[in-house]
Amino acid sequence: MYTNLDEKACLKVLKNDYLGHLSYIYQNRPFVVPITYFYDAETNVIICYSAEGHKMNAMRKNNEVAFNIVDVDGLTNWKSVMVHGKFEQLFGSDAKSYLHVFSLGIKTLIAEKELKELSFISEFSSKAINENIPMIFIIKVEEITGKTRKE
């Protein structure tokens, strides 16, 4: 049976995962890419990072984006959440601050979900200190909806 998720249930799915699919428009064509993210409940934004390229150029031109998370336990037991929001690239101290929140959040989530410590997360933190900062961007959550199937 399919049912709608209320906002609280949608936010729980968003908050408890770190892999999603980012959708954006480039030259009137839709694109969907997998991406690592962290949802910051305090500011109601999804924090992401990227290298320069197609995705960043596209979102700078059209900042309307969608973001999807799917939590699948089986063919008849899953939750899907769709976020609509606005892309915003961050710079300077804002970028460093959000990168710090991202790295700590991801480390905690992966340690809890996969019961292991991550050494590569320190790479994110070190990038926040030196000049080789990846491009940090946020998705300001404007609307969130979801569905579930449970039998």
CSV table of all heavy atoms in Angstrom, one decimal, residues 37-80:
chain,number,residue,atom,x,y,z
A,37,TYR,N,25.5,14.3,0.5
A,37,TYR,CA,24.9,15.5,1.1
A,37,TYR,C,24.8,15.4,2.6
A,37,TYR,O,24.9,14.3,3.2
A,37,TYR,CB,23.5,15.8,0.5
A,37,TYR,CG,22.4,14.9,1.1
A,37,TYR,CD1,21.7,15.3,2.2
A,37,TYR,CD2,22.2,13.6,0.6
A,37,TYR,CE1,20.7,14.4,2.8
A,37,TYR,CE2,21.3,12.8,1.2
A,37,TYR,CZ,20.5,13.2,2.3
A,37,TYR,OH,19.6,12.4,2.8
A,38,PHE,N,24.6,16.5,3.3
A,38,PHE,CA,24.2,16.5,4.7
A,38,PHE,C,23.1,17.5,4.9
A,38,PHE,O,23.2,18.6,4.4
A,38,PHE,CB,25.4,16.9,5.6
A,38,PHE,CG,25.0,16.9,7.0
A,38,PHE,CD1,24.8,15.7,7.7
A,38,PHE,CD2,24.9,18.1,7.7
A,38,PHE,CE1,24.4,15.8,9.1
A,38,PHE,CE2,24.5,18.2,9.0
A,38,PHE,CZ,24.2,17.0,9.7
A,39,TYR,N,22.0,17.1,5.5
A,39,TYR,CA,20.9,18.0,5.8
A,39,TYR,C,21.2,18.6,7.2
A,39,TYR,O,21.3,18.0,8.2
A,39,TYR,CB,19.6,17.2,5.8
A,39,TYR,CG,18.4,18.1,6.3
A,39,TYR,CD1,18.0,19.1,5.5
A,39,TYR,CD2,17.8,17.8,7.5
A,39,TYR,CE1,17.0,19.9,5.9
A,39,TYR,CE2,16.8,18.6,7.9
A,39,TYR,CZ,16.3,19.7,7.1
A,39,TYR,OH,15.3,20.5,7.6
A,40,ASP,N,21.2,20.0,7.2
A,40,ASP,CA,21.4,20.7,8.4
A,40,ASP,C,20.0,21.2,8.8
A,40,ASP,O,19.4,22.1,8.3
A,40,ASP,CB,22.3,21.9,8.1
A,40,ASP,CG,22.6,22.7,9.4
A,40,ASP,OD1,22.3,22.2,10.5
A,40,ASP,OD2,23.1,23.9,9.2
A,41,ALA,N,19.5,20.5,9.8
A,41,ALA,CA,18.1,20.8,10.3
A,41,ALA,C,18.0,22.2,10.9
A,41,ALA,O,16.9,22.9,10.8
A,41,ALA,CB,17.7,19.8,11.3
A,42,GLU,N,19.1,22.7,11.5
A,42,GLU,CA,19.0,24.1,12.1
A,42,GLU,C,18.7,25.2,11.1
A,42,GLU,O,18.0,26.1,11.4
A,42,GLU,CB,20.3,24.3,12.8
A,42,GLU,CG,20.5,23.6,14.1
A,42,GLU,CD,21.8,24.0,14.9
A,42,GLU,OE1,22.2,25.2,14.8
A,42,GLU,OE2,22.4,23.1,15.5
A,43,THR,N,19.3,25.0,9.9
A,43,THR,CA,19.1,26.1,8.9
A,43,THR,C,18.2,25.6,7.7
A,43,THR,O,18.0,26.4,6.8
A,43,THR,CB,20.5,26.5,8.3
A,43,THR,OG1,21.2,25.3,7.8
A,43,THR,CG2,21.4,27.1,9.3
A,44,ASN,N,17.7,24.4,7.8
A,44,ASN,CA,16.8,23.8,6.8
A,44,ASN,C,17.4,23.9,5.4
A,44,ASN,O,16.8,24.3,4.4
A,44,ASN,CB,15.5,24.5,6.8
A,44,ASN,CG,14.4,23.7,6.1
A,44,ASN,OD1,14.4,22.5,6.0
A,44,ASN,ND2,13.5,24.4,5.5
A,45,VAL,N,18.7,23.5,5.3
A,45,VAL,CA,19.4,23.4,4.0
A,45,VAL,C,20.1,22.1,3.8
A,45,VAL,O,20.5,21.4,4.8
A,45,VAL,CB,20.4,24.6,3.8
A,45,VAL,CG1,19.8,25.9,3.9
A,45,VAL,CG2,21.6,24.5,4.8
A,46,ILE,N,20.3,21.7,2.6
A,46,ILE,CA,21.0,20.5,2.2
A,46,ILE,C,22.4,21.0,1.8
A,46,ILE,O,22.5,21.9,0.9
A,46,ILE,CB,20.4,19.8,1.1
A,46,ILE,CG1,19.0,19.3,1.5
A,46,ILE,CG2,21.2,18.6,0.6
A,46,ILE,CD1,18.1,18.8,0.4
A,47,ILE,N,23.5,20.5,2.4
A,47,ILE,CA,24.8,21.0,2.2
A,47,ILE,C,25.5,20.0,1.2
A,47,ILE,O,25.5,18.8,1.5
A,47,ILE,CB,25.7,21.1,3.4
A,47,ILE,CG1,24.9,22.0,4.5
A,47,ILE,CG2,27.1,21.6,3.1
A,47,ILE,CD1,25.6,21.9,5.9
A,48,CYS,N,26.1,20.5,0.2
A,48,CYS,CA,26.8,19.6,-0.8
A,48,CYS,C,28.1,20.3,-1.2
A,48,CYS,O,28.4,21.5,-0.9
A,48,CYS,CB,26.0,19.5,-2.1
A,48,CYS,SG,24.3,18.9,-1.8
A,49,TYR,N,29.0,19.6,-1.9
A,49,TYR,CA,30.2,20.1,-2.4
A,49,TYR,C,30.4,19.6,-3.8
A,49,TYR,O,29.9,18.5,-4.2
A,49,TYR,CB,31.4,19.8,-1.5
A,49,TYR,CG,31.8,18.4,-1.6
A,49,TYR,CD1,32.9,17.9,-2.4
A,49,TYR,CD2,31.2,17.4,-0.8
A,49,TYR,CE1,33.2,16.6,-2.5
A,49,TYR,CE2,31.6,16.1,-0.9
A,49,TYR,CZ,32.6,15.7,-1.7
A,49,TYR,OH,33.0,14.4,-1.8
A,50,SER,N,31.2,20.3,-4.6
A,50,SER,CA,31.5,19.9,-6.0
A,50,SER,C,32.7,20.5,-6.5
A,50,SER,O,33.2,21.6,-6.0
A,50,SER,CB,30.3,20.3,-6.9
A,50,SER,OG,30.5,19.9,-8.2
A,51,ALA,N,33.3,19.9,-7.6
A,51,ALA,CA,34.3,20.5,-8.3
A,51,ALA,C,33.7,21.5,-9.4
A,51,ALA,O,32.5,21.4,-9.6
A,51,ALA,CB,35.2,19.5,-9.0
A,52,GLU,N,34.4,22.3,-10.0
A,52,GLU,CA,33.9,23.1,-11.0
A,52,GLU,C,33.5,22.2,-12.2
A,52,GLU,O,34.1,21.2,-12.4
A,52,GLU,CB,35.0,24.1,-11.5
A,52,GLU,CG,34.5,25.1,-12.6
A,52,GLU,CD,33.4,26.0,-12.1
A,52,GLU,OE1,33.7,26.8,-11.1
A,52,GLU,OE2,32.3,26.0,-12.6
A,53,GLY,N,32.4,22.6,-12.9
A,53,GLY,CA,32.0,21.8,-14.1
A,53,GLY,C,30.6,22.0,-14.5
A,53,GLY,O,30.0,23.0,-14.1
A,54,HIS,N,30.1,21.1,-15.2
A,54,HIS,CA,28.8,21.1,-15.8
A,54,HIS,C,27.7,21.4,-14.8
A,54,HIS,O,26.9,22.3,-15.0
A,54,HIS,CB,28.5,19.8,-16.5
A,54,HIS,CG,27.2,19.6,-17.1
A,54,HIS,ND1,26.1,19.1,-16.4
A,54,HIS,CD2,26.7,20.0,-18.3
A,54,HIS,CE1,25.1,19.1,-17.2
A,54,HIS,NE2,25.4,19.7,-18.4
A,55,LYS,N,27.7,20.7,-13.7
A,55,LYS,CA,26.6,20.8,-12.7
A,55,LYS,C,26.6,22.2,-12.1
A,55,LYS,O,25.6,22.9,-12.0
A,55,LYS,CB,26.8,19.7,-11.6
A,55,LYS,CG,26.0,19.9,-10.4
A,55,LYS,CD,26.3,18.7,-9.5
A,55,LYS,CE,27.7,18.6,-9.0
A,55,LYS,NZ,28.4,17.4,-9.1
A,56,MET,N,27.8,22.7,-11.7
A,56,MET,CA,27.9,24.0,-11.1
A,56,MET,C,27.5,25.1,-12.1
A,56,MET,O,26.7,26.0,-11.7
A,56,MET,CB,29.3,24.2,-10.5
A,56,MET,CG,29.6,23.3,-9.4
A,56,MET,SD,28.6,23.5,-7.9
A,56,MET,CE,29.1,25.1,-7.3
A,57,ASN,N,27.9,25.0,-13.3
A,57,ASN,CA,27.6,26.0,-14.3
A,57,ASN,C,26.1,26.0,-14.5
A,57,ASN,O,25.5,27.1,-14.6
A,57,ASN,CB,28.3,25.7,-15.6
A,57,ASN,CG,29.8,26.0,-15.5
A,57,ASN,OD1,30.2,26.9,-14.7
A,57,ASN,ND2,30.6,25.3,-16.3
A,58,ALA,N,25.5,24.9,-14.6
A,58,ALA,CA,24.0,24.8,-14.9
A,58,ALA,C,23.2,25.4,-13.7
A,58,ALA,O,22.3,26.1,-13.9
A,58,ALA,CB,23.6,23.3,-15.0
A,59,MET,N,23.6,25.1,-12.5
A,59,MET,CA,22.9,25.6,-11.3
A,59,MET,C,23.1,27.1,-11.1
A,59,MET,O,22.2,27.7,-10.6
A,59,MET,CB,23.2,24.8,-10.1
A,59,MET,CG,22.7,23.3,-10.1
A,59,MET,SD,22.9,22.4,-8.6
A,59,MET,CE,24.7,22.4,-8.4
A,60,ARG,N,24.2,27.6,-11.5
A,60,ARG,CA,24.4,29.1,-11.5
A,60,ARG,C,23.4,29.8,-12.4
A,60,ARG,O,23.0,30.9,-12.1
A,60,ARG,CB,25.8,29.4,-11.8
A,60,ARG,CG,26.8,29.1,-10.7
A,60,ARG,CD,28.2,29.6,-11.1
A,60,ARG,NE,29.2,29.0,-10.3
A,60,ARG,CZ,30.2,28.2,-10.7
A,60,ARG,NH1,30.3,27.9,-12.0
A,60,ARG,NH2,31.0,27.6,-9.9
A,61,LYS,N,23.1,29.1,-13.6
A,61,LYS,CA,22.2,29.7,-14.6
A,61,LYS,C,20.8,29.6,-14.2
A,61,LYS,O,20.0,30.4,-14.5
A,61,LYS,CB,22.5,29.1,-15.9
A,61,LYS,CG,23.9,29.6,-16.5
A,61,LYS,CD,24.1,28.9,-17.8
A,61,LYS,CE,25.5,29.4,-18.3
A,61,LYS,NZ,26.0,28.6,-19.5
A,62,ASN,N,20.4,28.4,-13.6
A,62,ASN,CA,19.1,28.2,-13.2
A,62,ASN,C,19.1,27.5,-11.8
A,62,ASN,O,19.4,26.4,-11.7
A,62,ASN,CB,18.4,27.3,-14.2
A,62,ASN,CG,16.9,27.0,-13.8
A,62,ASN,OD1,16.5,27.3,-12.7
A,62,ASN,ND2,16.2,26.4,-14.7
A,63,ASN,N,18.8,28.3,-10.8
A,63,ASN,CA,19.0,27.8,-9.4
A,63,ASN,C,17.9,27.0,-8.8
A,63,ASN,O,17.9,26.6,-7.7
A,63,ASN,CB,19.3,29.0,-8.4
A,63,ASN,CG,18.1,29.9,-8.2
A,63,ASN,OD1,17.2,29.9,-8.9
A,63,ASN,ND2,18.2,30.7,-7.2
A,64,GLU,N,16.9,26.7,-9.7
A,64,GLU,CA,15.8,25.9,-9.2
A,64,GLU,C,16.2,24.4,-9.4
A,64,GLU,O,16.6,24.0,-10.5
A,64,GLU,CB,14.5,26.1,-10.1
A,64,GLU,CG,13.9,27.5,-10.0
A,64,GLU,CD,13.2,27.7,-8.7
A,64,GLU,OE1,12.8,26.7,-8.1
A,64,GLU,OE2,13.0,28.9,-8.3
A,65,VAL,N,16.2,23.7,-8.3
A,65,VAL,CA,16.7,22.3,-8.3
A,65,VAL,C,15.7,21.4,-7.6
A,65,VAL,O,14.9,21.8,-6.8
A,65,VAL,CB,18.1,22.1,-7.7
A,65,VAL,CG1,19.1,22.9,-8.4
A,65,VAL,CG2,18.1,22.5,-6.2
A,66,ALA,N,15.9,20.1,-7.8
A,66,ALA,CA,15.1,19.1,-7.0
A,66,ALA,C,16.1,18.1,-6.5
A,66,ALA,O,17.2,17.9,-7.0
A,66,ALA,CB,14.1,18.4,-7.9
A,67,PHE,N,15.8,17.5,-5.4
A,67,PHE,CA,16.7,16.5,-4.7
A,67,PHE,C,15.8,15.4,-4.2
A,67,PHE,O,14.8,15.5,-3.6
A,67,PHE,CB,17.3,17.2,-3.5
A,67,PHE,CG,18.5,16.5,-2.9
A,67,PHE,CD1,19.7,16.5,-3.6
A,67,PHE,CD2,18.3,15.8,-1.8
A,67,PHE,CE1,20.8,15.8,-3.0
A,67,PHE,CE2,19.4,15.1,-1.2
A,67,PHE,CZ,20.7,15.1,-1.9
A,68,ASN,N,16.3,14.1,-4.5
A,68,ASN,CA,15.5,12.9,-4.1
A,68,ASN,C,16.4,12.0,-3.3
A,68,ASN,O,17.5,11.8,-3.6
A,68,ASN,CB,15.1,12.2,-5.4
A,68,ASN,CG,14.4,10.9,-5.2
A,68,ASN,OD1,14.9,9.9,-5.4
A,68,ASN,ND2,13.2,11.0,-4.6
A,69,ILE,N,15.7,11.4,-2.3
A,69,ILE,CA,16.4,10.4,-1.4
A,69,ILE,C,15.4,9.2,-1.4
A,69,ILE,O,14.2,9.4,-1.3
A,69,ILE,CB,16.5,10.9,0.0
A,69,ILE,CG1,17.3,12.2,0.1
A,69,ILE,CG2,17.2,9.8,0.9
A,69,ILE,CD1,16.4,13.4,0.2
A,70,VAL,N,16.0,8.0,-1.6
A,70,VAL,CA,15.2,6.8,-1.5
A,70,VAL,C,15.8,5.9,-0.5
A,70,VAL,O,17.0,5.6,-0.5
A,70,VAL,CB,15.1,6.1,-2.9
A,70,VAL,CG1,14.3,4.9,-2.8
A,70,VAL,CG2,14.6,7.0,-4.0
A,71,ASP,N,14.9,5.5,0.4
A,71,ASP,CA,15.3,4.6,1.5
A,71,ASP,C,14.6,3.2,1.2
A,71,ASP,O,13.4,3.1,1.4
A,71,ASP,CB,14.9,5.1,2.9
A,71,ASP,CG,15.3,4.2,4.0
A,71,ASP,OD1,16.0,3.3,3.8
A,71,ASP,OD2,14.8,4.5,5.1
A,72,VAL,N,15.4,2.2,0.7
A,72,VAL,CA,14.8,1.0,0.2
A,72,VAL,C,15.2,-0.2,1.2
A,72,VAL,O,16.4,-0.4,1.3
A,72,VAL,CB,15.2,0.7,-1.2
A,72,VAL,CG1,14.7,-0.6,-1.7
A,72,VAL,CG2,14.9,1.8,-2.2
A,73,ASP,N,14.2,-0.8,1.7
A,73,ASP,CA,14.5,-2.0,2.5
A,73,ASP,C,14.0,-3.3,1.7
A,73,ASP,O,14.4,-4.4,2.1
A,73,ASP,CB,13.7,-2.0,3.8
A,73,ASP,CG,14.3,-1.0,4.8
A,73,ASP,OD1,15.6,-0.9,4.8
A,73,ASP,OD2,13.6,-0.4,5.6
A,74,GLY,N,13.3,-3.1,0.6
A,74,GLY,CA,12.9,-4.2,-0.2
A,74,GLY,C,11.9,-3.7,-1.3
A,74,GLY,O,11.5,-2.5,-1.2
A,75,LEU,N,11.5,-4.5,-2.1
A,75,LEU,CA,10.6,-4.2,-3.2
A,75,LEU,C,9.3,-3.6,-2.7
A,75,LEU,O,8.7,-2.7,-3.4
A,75,LEU,CB,10.3,-5.4,-4.1
A,75,LEU,CG,9.4,-5.3,-5.3
A,75,LEU,CD1,10.1,-4.3,-6.3
A,75,LEU,CD2,9.2,-6.6,-6.0
A,76,THR,N,8.8,-4.1,-1.6
A,76,THR,CA,7.5,-3.6,-1.1
A,76,THR,C,7.7,-2.8,0.2
A,76,THR,O,6.7,-2.7,1.0
A,76,THR,CB,6.5,-4.7,-0.9
A,76,THR,OG1,7.1,-5.7,0.0
A,76,THR,CG2,6.2,-5.4,-2.3
A,77,ASN,N,8.9,-2.3,0.5
A,77,ASN,CA,9.1,-1.6,1.7
A,77,ASN,C,10.1,-0.5,1.5
A,77,ASN,O,11.4,-0.8,1.5
A,77,ASN,CB,9.6,-2.6,2.8
A,77,ASN,CG,9.7,-1.9,4.2
A,77,ASN,OD1,9.3,-0.8,4.4
A,77,ASN,ND2,10.4,-2.6,5.1
A,78,TRP,N,9.7,0.7,1.1
A,78,TRP,CA,10.6,1.8,0.8
A,78,TRP,C,9.9,3.1,1.1
A,78,TRP,O,8.7,3.2,1.3
A,78,TRP,CB,11.0,1.7,-0.6
A,78,TRP,CG,9.9,1.7,-1.6
A,78,TRP,CD1,9.4,0.6,-2.3
A,78,TRP,CD2,9.1,2.8,-2.1
A,78,TRP,NE1,8.4,0.9,-3.1
A,78,TRP,CE2,8.2,2.2,-3.1
A,78,TRP,CE3,9.0,4.1,-1.9
A,78,TRP,CZ2,7.2,3.0,-3.7
A,78,TRP,CZ3,8.1,4.9,-2.5
A,78,TRP,CH2,7.2,4.3,-3.4
A,79,LYS,N,10.8,4.2,1.2
A,79,LYS,CA,10.3,5.5,1.4
A,79,LYS,C,11.1,6.4,0.3
A,79,LYS,O,12.3,6.1,0.1
A,79,LYS,CB,10.7,6.1,2.7
A,79,LYS,CG,9.9,5.4,3.8
A,79,LYS,CD,10.4,5.9,5.2
A,79,LYS,CE,9.8,5.1,6.3
A,79,LYS,NZ,10.5,5.1,7.5
A,80,SER,N,10.4,7.3,-0.3
A,80,SER,CA,11.0,8.2,-1.2
A,80,SER,C,10.6,9.7,-0.9
A,80,SER,O,9.5,9.9,-0.6
A,80,SER,CB,10.5,7.9,-2.6
A,80,SER,OG,11.0,8.8,-3.6
